[in-house]
Amino acid sequence: MAKSWLDWFTGKSAGEWDRRAKPAPEMPQLEPEDFDPVTGAIHWAKFTRILEAERLQSAGALLVIDLDERSTEIETLAEESRKSVLPWLSQSIRHAVRAEDLVTHLYDYRFAVLLRGAAQEVADTVAKRIRESVDDTIFMTNEGISRLGVAVGGVTYDPAREKDNDIIKAAFDNLGNAAKSEPFILIS
């Protein structure tokens, strides 16, 4: 019996067919104090605790995001103007990720995203959506309108693979390589 697209979308049918191969990981408990009031992103300390717990339980991906070469004018802005851009940059990233994913602000204009339970293909798709979301956002500053672009580096992880490797360092290494050329995305 053929399944309709609605059955696939809702994950229901007469045969109890589910589009997920595995159940989604349990969402960690988050309190209001776990979030940065300026960016709306999770604080780095809480993010790393969740990342370490997640990588022991299920597969996923870690993305690191930073401004690319198209954003050189924003780098020269005064500190007050930077603070006005960060909430909008954070919002454009948060709008591009899935509901179960977690976003943290690292420093300057760098963010990290934990894609919980995501395969390589999902990580690639989310990275493209993040770039498109930031590209489509107009950032207003005291100096005028700024357009930003981002580079995305990342790594996938799996508890079945070696656990001793430093996925944060690997994600930053991939970000450095992604920032050098189009399409400004590198996920391994």
Side-chain angles (χ1 to χ4, degrees), residues 63 115 119-129 185-187:
L63 303 180
L115 303 176
Q120 175 80 34
E121 300 80 26
V122 174
D124 289 333
T125 301
V126 171
K128 289 174 187 166
R129 286 194 340 224
I185 297 173
L186 177 60
I187 301 169

Side-chain angles (χ1 to χ4, degrees), residues 37-59:
V38 174
T39 63
I42 296 173
H43 289 293
W44 175 245
K46 180 72 171 186
F47 183 88
T48 55
R49 286 194 300 273
I50 294 170
L51 172 63
E52 290 307 315
E54 287 280 327
R55 70 185 284 214
L56 296 175
Q57 297 175 16
S58 64

